[in-house]
Amino acid sequence: MSTNKMWGGRFEAGPAAIMREITPSIDFDKRLAAEDLAGSRAHCRMLANEGIISKDDGAAILEGLAKIEKELAEGSFIFKRELEDIHLNIEARLAELIGPAAGRLHTARSRNDQVVTDFRLWVRAACDRADSGLLALQRALLAQAEKHVETIMPGFTHMQVAQPVTFGHHMLAYVEMFGRDRGRFEDARKRLNESPLGAAALAGTSFTIDRDNTAHALGFARPMRNSMDAISARDFALEYLAACTIAAVHLSRLAGELVQWSTPMFGFVKLSDAFTTGSSIMPQKRNPDAAELVRGKTGRVLGDFVALATVVKGLVLTYGTDLQEDKERVFDAADTLELCLAAMAAMTADLTAQPERMRAACEPGFPTATDLADWVVRVLKKPFREAHHIAGSIVKSAEEKGVTLDKLPLADMQKIEPAITAEVFKVLSPEASVHSRMSLGGTAPARVKEQLAHWKGVLR
């Protein structure tokens, strides 16, 4: 007896069994139930207002939808895979509840405009949730910044000690970063907030519907102007995923710093037991698992963006079942980002900075070498390139003697540049360096306090 290998195993019954597995979307698009009900209510009321269906049928449909909403809330609604998707599941249950009048609800619409309306409503709410999560994280960062306006730590370039900064300034850098992320979700929300409902299958409808009515009933700014674009466009989902990806990258950067800072070698911060785990064989370990998982999940969110972009890139107008692949990617990215935002906000609020370790880390690496060069420019009127060479030679001398710049004897400096005076020592400590950085956006505590005041006003 021969067996078709393609249909072997789970699919011995042949093509019908394969189609029963590949076609249904109810397993994941049931998450659109609330949006589907909202869209159906708006559509029903418009149809009744325009006289396209009778007031009695409209009232019966609305009553049936209310019963379905109650069943969904109570968990008694039965989802059936044979009905493929959330739209047919709700429509079939409506018919069971109110009879033939249920069939009038689908007048002047298609599953094509129905699903994309639902999806836009869902993504719009996801943008709002992302904004809330980012706001909570910004507030946690701001609270840490306020406690550490004067806490000195090394700033790095190329992972080498570069110049002293304050921990408050470092935290505020992320406040700025996540503020831009919030702007991206806000922009995405504005662009997606147009209603495709009424575009029907792709060409519009011959019924005299009022698309402005349904758009405003659902909180959209306006109806979409082109029915073919309304059905086929998924750039709103891509833009949302792009915003998720950039936010996840920023979360990964912060998570990476927390992983690094919490190591014994750095010891800049301590994470509590709530966000660390032990080792199965090494009792001394405190592993920053939450931060590592946030860092790792960035690849997952990026993958969701790439997957949907790949689905959409070759699609001709208007609808193809390929677009059924849009929702799982968006749902996964939303779930992942929202969890990571909650974890990072809680971790940031929970961490304890270690100012002594941060300050001690400013000793090696000569982080005030630029201050020395700047002093030579400002006081001795040397060109910066010459001052840079002088400072580099002095650093080499300090390195050979095993001392920091502010401990190098003046006589040694004067061997390199005789015009240097004892006044130079006023700029060579990390404290002096930090307080001198008074340019707009600088790390000087006075400037950090200005940034704090600004963000307190923004985040109020």
Side-chain angles (χ1 to χ4, degrees):
M1 186 177 73
S2 64
T3 302
N4 188 320
K5 293 181 181 179
M6 189 176 183
W7 297 338
R10 291 178 63 196
F11 303 116
E12 290 177 355
I18 293 174
M19 291 304 291
R20 282 196 299 273
E21 286 298 314
I22 199 171
T23 303
S25 59
I26 188 61
D27 294 340
F28 52 86
D29 70 16
K30 60 186 177 184
R31 291 181 67 162
L32 298 175
E35 289 76 15
D36 200 68
L37 289 171
S40 290
R41 280 193 291 265
H43 187 66
C44 174
R45 291 189 177 106
M46 181 277 295
L47 292 176
N49 289 341
E50 297 301 312
I52 297 170
I53 65 173
S54 70
K55 298 288 186 185
D56 288 344
D57 283 343
I61 289 169
L62 291 173
E63 184 178 345
L65 293 174
K67 290 179 180 177
I68 291 171
E69 184 174 43
K70 186 171 184 291
E71 290 176 355
L72 286 163
E74 294 172 345
S76 60
F77 186 92
I78 299 172
F79 296 99
K80 300 175 181 178
R81 290 193 92 241
E82 62 269 21
L83 293 174
E84 293 186 7
D85 57 34
I86 188 60
H87 323 297
L88 291 183
N89 268 265
I90 287 177
E91 186 176 327
R93 180 57 179 151
L94 186 64
E96 291 173 355
L97 291 170
I98 69 170
R104 301 192 184 280
L105 176 59
H106 210 54
T107 306
R109 77 173 181 184
S110 160
R111 274 195 291 176
N112 292 356
D113 63 337
Q114 187 178 0
V115 65
V116 74
T117 300
D118 295 355
F119 199 28
R120 280 180 181 261
L121 289 171
W122 196 95
V123 174
R124 187 177 71 186
C127 286
D128 293 339
R129 293 194 302 273
D131 182 76
S132 295
L134 286 162
L135 173 60
L137 176 52
Q138 282 184 299
R139 285 175 171 160
L141 289 162
L142 195 69
Q144 288 288 356
E146 190 167 21
K147 287 190 286 188
H148 295 286
V149 171
E150 306 246 6
T151 299
I152 293 174
M153 66 177 290
F156 297 87
T157 62
H158 308 279
M159 267 311 295
Q160 305 294 314
V161 171
Q163 292 177 314
V165 295
T166 69
F167 188 56
H169 193 55
H170 200 121
M171 292 290 95
L172 286 170
Y174 283 105
V175 174
E176 296 280 348
M177 208 179 287
F178 293 122
R180 293 192 295 275
D181 288 327
R182 291 181 67 194
R184 275 181 275 274
F185 284 109
E186 181 182 2
D187 289 345
R189 191 191 194 283
K190 287 177 183 175
R191 264 184 290 280
L192 73 80
N193 201 32
E194 295 182 332
S195 174
L197 191 57
L202 78 158
T205 177
S206 59
F207 290 95
T208 55
I209 61 173
D210 184 347
R211 292 191 62 211
D212 286 302
N213 176 289
T214 52
H216 295 146
L218 293 170
F220 289 115
R222 64 193 69 84
M224 295 183 74
R225 285 185 293 269
N226 184 287
S227 62
M228 296 179 75
D229 179 51
I231 294 306
S232 62
R234 290 300 183 276
D235 53 310
F236 71 92
L238 283 171
E239 188 170 8
Y240 168 75
L241 288 175
C244 287
T245 300
I246 296 171
V249 166
H250 290 161
L251 286 171
S252 182
R253 296 184 75 178
L254 177 54
E257 298 221 269
L258 293 182
V259 170
Q260 185 182 82
W261 291 345
S262 62
T263 62
M265 287 77 78
F266 274 77
F268 287 3
V269 302
K270 282 186 178 178
L271 300 174
S272 76
D273 291 346
F275 296 100
T276 58
T277 63
S279 164
S280 61
I281 64 169
M282 295 171 282
Q284 82 282 10
K285 295 287 292 297
R286 290 171 67 88
N287 299 325
D289 282 9
E292 289 173 342
L293 287 166
V294 168
R295 187 173 59 181
K297 288 179 184 294
T298 300
R300 180 171 179 157
V301 177
L302 173 60
D304 289 326
F305 172 77
V306 172
L308 183 56
T310 305
V311 167
V312 174
K313 75 172 183 64
L315 295 185
V316 298
L317 299 184
T318 56
Y319 185 81
T321 310
D322 316 52
L323 291 174
Q324 193 165 291
E325 291 296 307
D326 57 4
K327 285 166 280 298
E328 283 186 285
R329 302 283 63 79
V330 168
F331 293 159
D332 180 70
D335 291 346
T336 303
L337 180 67
E338 289 165 28
L339 177 60
C340 289
L341 284 170
M344 189 58 75
M347 242 188 310
T348 300
D350 176 78
L351 70 84
T352 303
Q354 304 295 301
E356 299 82 8
R357 291 296 297 270
M358 291 181 181
R359 176 61 179 80
C362 289
E363 292 297 318
F366 308 101
T368 60
T370 304
D371 298 272
L372 171 58
D374 288 347
W375 184 91
V376 171
V377 170
R378 189 168 52 251
V379 177
L380 304 186
K381 308 304 181 185
K382 302 281 189 182
F384 183 79
R385 286 302 171 202
E386 184 179 346
H388 186 282
H389 178 74
I390 291 168
S393 298
I394 292 172
V395 165
K396 183 179 180 182
S397 176
E399 195 170 29
E400 289 170 350
K401 289 184 176 293
V403 297
T404 58
L405 285 177
D406 57 339
K407 299 295 190 297
L408 183 69
L410 178 61
D412 290 330
M413 295 188 195
Q414 289 173 336
K415 288 177 185 176
I416 295 163
E417 173 49 61
I420 291 177
T421 70
E423 288 293 306
V424 74
F425 290 101
K426 291 182 179 179
V427 304
L428 294 183
S429 71
E431 287 76 13
S433 175
V434 162
H435 281 272
S436 74
R437 304 292 166 180
M438 280 295 293
S439 57
L440 180 65
T443 193
R447 287 302 198 185
V448 173
K449 287 176 183 176
E450 289 176 357
Q451 295 174 49
L452 279 168
H454 164 77
W455 279 108
K456 280 183 178 180
V458 171
L459 303 182
R460 185 176 297 121

